[in-house]
Amino acid sequence: MNNEKWNEICFLLSDNIRTDISESDFEQNVVQALRVLDWKEYSGDIEVRPSFQVGAANRITPDFVIKNSDNRKLFVIEIKQPNIPLNSRFQQQLFSYMRQLKLEYGILIGQGIQIFYDGDLAKQEDPILLETIKFTKDNEKGLKFVELFAKESFNQESLKSFTLNGLKKINRREEHKNLTKKILAESYQEKISELIKQDFLSEYDGELIESVLTELKIEIKNKNAEITQTEFPKSQFKEQRIVDYSNGILPIELKPSSESDFKRRLLLTKTAYITTFYKNGTSKQKVWNANRFRESSGVLGNLRSRPEFRNGKWQKLGIEKVLVSIDK
């Protein structure tokens, strides 16, 4: 049942809409998607663009506020045109509504769905992004979304369990990052030399071991680290004379800098911004419509296949570097 509901939501919010749909038209599709989850306007479940007084002179107007039968606010929804990438500005707008309405959960809907939490379970200033869901059929995350936010199954205990699990994953990723940083630190690599010395002391004298170690370089590297043109020092981009173009490779910088992170976000947003910098000091920006970009596609390979970025062509055009970013 959840599978059918999620696939219908995908149809309403992605498969069956124009790429240039207006926000007001998209709003009607979101209303239909909420009906799939059994939230209905006529039942009083949904407030569309309600206006709330904030302070003496200000008002806020979120797109949707979902309520229960007792008229208690449950969560807030903010929508954006699906042809515009969800960015931090949109998130901050949702955060303000969550804070003003004292709601723990907020949902941002556009090119995908983002679920945010702002409550006592988290220990940080801004609401936390618990999940990002792409509009793909039979998506496990989408099925979980239906389970959590359908009217019939909506309850605080399920949401709390989901939130705790999400926070655990976030904390685990942060711990993984911190431990990696410690192991890669130069001070820890010095400890490895000492461990090697202790390991061989039963066979060789300490002076010999130290002599050998001085002739060796002990280094721990991240085997997943990608060596790309984005790792050039910034000075190489600023000072044209010290950029080596002799290898025929155009420097392309990604934001986010990791190609894997960039690819993950591009698959969600389907849009990026390509800024081309020229040796004469000018620059031009254009939108990369990546609707045909797939999981099997390569980011840098795709970019370098463009006629203007091919070896020989970009030199003739006087291109110095290219910046490709998800956020404008």
Side-chain angles (χ1 to χ4, degrees):
M1 188 64 176
N2 286 353
N3 193 290
E4 183 178 345
K5 287 184 176 181
W6 171 251
N7 289 345
E8 186 174 355
I9 289 172
C10 290
F11 176 79
L12 292 168
L13 301 185
S14 180
D15 301 342
N16 195 43
I17 62 171
R18 306 185 317 273
T19 56
D20 61 343
I21 188 172
S22 67
E23 192 167 303
S24 59
D25 287 341
F26 187 57
E27 179 183 288
Q28 296 306 310
N29 287 55
V30 175
V31 170
Q32 292 181 63
L34 289 171
R35 288 197 193 109
V36 173
L37 298 175
D38 295 321
W39 303 105
K40 297 178 175 64
E41 243 185 301
Y42 87 92
S43 301
D45 303 328
I46 309 171
E47 283 189 280
V48 181
R49 292 190 305 281
S51 181
F52 298 98
Q53 185 77 36
V54 178
N58 298 319
R59 302 189 75 85
I60 59 170
T61 309
D63 289 325
F64 299 99
V65 172
I66 308 301
K67 304 183 298 180
N68 65 8
S69 57
D70 297 326
N71 206 38
R72 182 170 66 87
K73 300 177 186 65
L74 300 176
F75 56 95
V76 61
I77 300 173
E78 187 66 12
I79 66 169
K80 297 300 172 186
Q81 287 176 266
N83 63 336
I84 302 175
L86 297 177
N87 56 47
S88 59
R89 182 166 58 87
F90 298 152
Q91 292 172 352
Q92 289 297 328
Q93 186 178 3
L94 175 66
F95 296 170
S96 68
Y97 297 151
M98 294 171 68
R99 290 285 169 86
Q100 295 294 341
L101 299 175
K102 295 180 171 57
L103 292 173
E104 290 187 338
Y105 294 94
I107 298 174
L108 190 58
I109 301 177
Q111 291 186 345
I113 295 175
Q114 293 183 335
I115 305 171
F116 292 90
Y117 170 76
D118 183 32
D120 295 336
L121 298 176
K123 297 179 180 179
Q124 71 176 55
E125 186 174 343
D126 283 335
I128 289 178
L129 174 60
L130 292 177
E131 195 65 271
T132 296
I133 309 170
K134 295 188 288 187
F135 291 123
T136 53
K137 290 182 179 179
D138 304 321
N139 186 343
E140 289 295 329
K141 293 181 179 180
L143 303 186
K144 187 65 177 179
F145 173 79
V146 172
E147 177 188 328
L148 290 169
F149 290 97
K151 182 178 179 179
E152 183 180 13
S153 54
F154 185 89
N155 68 82
Q156 293 299 325
E157 284 305 311
S158 295
L159 279 172
K160 182 179 180 180
S161 177
F162 170 76
T163 302
L164 288 171
N165 188 51
L167 293 173
K168 184 178 179 181
K169 289 179 181 177
I170 292 169
N171 292 335
R172 187 71 174 175
R173 287 196 295 268
E174 191 62 29
E175 288 175 357
H176 184 281
K177 181 180 177 181
N178 290 336
L179 179 57
T180 300
K181 186 176 180 180
K182 288 180 180 179
I183 292 175
L184 291 173
E186 186 176 343
S187 58
Y188 186 76
Q189 296 186 30
E190 292 174 359
K191 291 182 181 179
I192 294 176
S193 295
E194 186 60 32
L195 290 172
I196 293 173
K197 180 179 177 180
Q198 294 301 320
D199 191 43
F200 285 105
L201 274 176
S202 60
E203 298 178 60
Y204 305 96
D205 67 81
E207 186 178 347
L208 176 61
I209 298 171
E210 288 183 2
S211 175
V212 171
L213 287 175
T214 57
E215 298 174 0
L216 299 177
K217 181 180 181 181
I218 301 169
E219 187 175 24
I220 299 176
K221 290 184 178 181
N222 189 332
K223 64 181 180 180
N224 295 321
E226 298 175 351
I227 302 175
T228 69
Q229 296 298 324
T230 61
E231 295 178 1
F232 286 170
K234 290 184 178 179
S235 60
Q236 289 187 319
F237 286 137
K238 293 178 180 178
E239 298 295 331
Q240 178 185 330
R241 291 182 181 179
I242 61 173
V243 180
D244 181 11
Y245 299 108
S246 61
N247 59 6
I249 299 177
L250 171 65
I252 297 179
E253 180 181 355
L254 302 178
K255 284 191 176 181
S257 59
S258 165
E259 186 173 359
S260 58
D261 288 344
F262 185 98
K263 181 176 181 177
R264 176 179 55 78
R265 291 190 60 188
L266 183 63
L267 287 167
L268 176 64
T269 64
K270 293 295 184 183
T271 303
Y273 300 90
I274 302 174
T275 306
T276 304
F277 296 84
Y278 295 85
K279 294 181 182 180
N280 62 8
T282 63
S283 64
K284 293 180 182 178
Q285 186 181 81
K286 62 182 178 181
V287 177
W288 177 5
N289 186 338
N291 286 325
R292 296 183 180 180
F293 193 84
R294 297 290 181 265
E295 186 70 43
S296 58
S297 305
V299 176
L300 291 175
N302 187 295
L303 291 166
R304 295 192 190 285
S305 67
R306 293 169 175 261
E308 67 271 30
F309 296 158
R310 291 175 183 169
N311 187 24
K313 186 65 174 178
W314 62 267
Q315 293 96 329
K316 291 181 181 179
L317 293 173
I319 297 175
E320 182 177 20
K321 72 163 185 172
V322 174
L323 170 66
V324 188
S325 58
I326 296 296
D327 297 327
K328 191 170 184 179

